[in-house]
Amino acid sequence: MVRKKKILVACGTAIATSTVVARKIEEELGKRNIPVETSQCKAVEVPERVQGHDLVVTTTFVSGTGDVPVIHSVSFLTGVGLERDLEKIVGYLTSD
């Protein structure tokens, strides 16, 4: 069985924006048969929550992610550049 990749989705308050982004990521990667598990947090919580995740997707600046790659994107909200950002995510998650 393929291990689900873990994506931490961060925004300013971890309420509406991160929920929309997380659901869109799950939906789009599901279409590509890439199993993922998303969790959400505030941007300031990323350093304490990042461990064990394969990728961080954020709509705002974050720091303290160590070796975990970060994709800063608003395309999941606007639709502009969505395919490009999805390809970046797929690239990170399938590179090992």
Side-chain angles (χ1 to χ4, degrees), residues 20-34:
V20 170
V21 173
R23 296 304 158 253
K24 188 71 172 175
I25 289 170
E26 291 170 356
E27 176 185 318
E28 292 296 328
L29 294 181
K31 291 176 188 176
R32 292 164 171 79
N33 295 315
I34 299 172

Side-chain angles (χ1 to χ4, degrees), residues 6-26 37-46 48-50 53 55-58:
K6 295 179 77 174
I7 300 174
L8 182 62
V9 180
C11 71
T13 61
I15 301 173
T17 302
S18 62
T19 300
V20 170
V21 173
R23 296 304 158 253
K24 188 71 172 175
I25 289 170
E26 291 170 356
E37 177 183 322
T38 61
S39 55
Q40 300 160 234
C41 71
K42 296 177 186 176
V44 298
E45 297 173 327
V46 168
E48 65 193 52
R49 303 268 316 270
V50 71
H53 288 87
L55 181 66
V56 174
V57 177
T58 179

Side-chain angles (χ1 to χ4, degrees), residues 66-95:
D67 293 337
V68 179
V70 176
I71 294 178
H72 178 264
S73 173
V74 293
S75 67
F76 293 95
L77 302 171
T78 67
V80 177
L82 180 61
E83 282 304 315
R84 179 194 67 230
D85 288 342
L86 284 167
E87 289 308 313
K88 286 182 191 176
I89 291 171
V90 169
Y92 280 122
L93 298 181
T94 60
S95 65

